[in-house]
Amino acid sequence: MKSIGGVDAIMITHGHCDKLRGLAVEMKTNAKAVALIHELDQPYLHDPKRNCSIAEGTSRTTDAKTSTFKESTTTIAGHRVPPIHLPATPRAARSSGSRTTTR
């Protein structure tokens, strides 16, 4: 994979397996970039049952280095971002044991 250049950060919107495809390669290709994920979704990156890859017949995880953030205004690559954690689906939230309520 070739770097597209200028990548400061990769924000992972949630921990489902489709968000993991290529993440480790992208992080190696864009070595200065940081990968960010909400602290409640971080365990999904290393658990095939939580990230739904088991349901697809695979066992996908990632060894990409990630940083976590909480629900508060966060500075990402020089931009202030107010992330809010919302589970991807109510079913996923129930199966993962997440205590976050959807709004």
Side-chain angles (χ1 to χ4, degrees), residues 42-103:
Q42 201 277 337
Y44 287 63
L45 302 180
H46 310 288
D47 185 338
K49 186 173 179 183
R50 280 186 169 184
N51 70 33
C52 301
S53 62
I54 290 287
E56 292 184 351
T58 64
S59 183
R60 185 172 293 139
T61 61
T62 185
D63 61 353
K65 185 175 189 252
T66 58
S67 296
T68 59
F69 59 87
K70 298 179 181 187
E71 284 188 42
S72 64
T73 300
T74 303
T75 300
I76 301 170
H79 301 277
R80 294 182 52 76
V81 179
I84 299 171
H85 182 256
L86 297 174
T89 63
R91 180 176 169 212
R94 284 194 303 274
S95 67
S96 71
S98 174
R99 296 176 191 256
T100 303
T101 55
T102 56
R103 298 179 198 162

Side-chain angles (χ1 to χ4, degrees), residues 2-8 29-30:
K2 186 174 155 185
S3 174
I4 60 173
V7 176
D8 295 317
T29 305
N30 298 284

Side-chain angles (χ1 to χ4, degrees), residues 6-12 27 32-36 76-77:
V7 176
D8 295 317
I10 298 171
M11 180 170 266
I12 306 161
M27 295 305 297
K32 293 182 181 179
V34 60
L36 300 152
I76 301 170

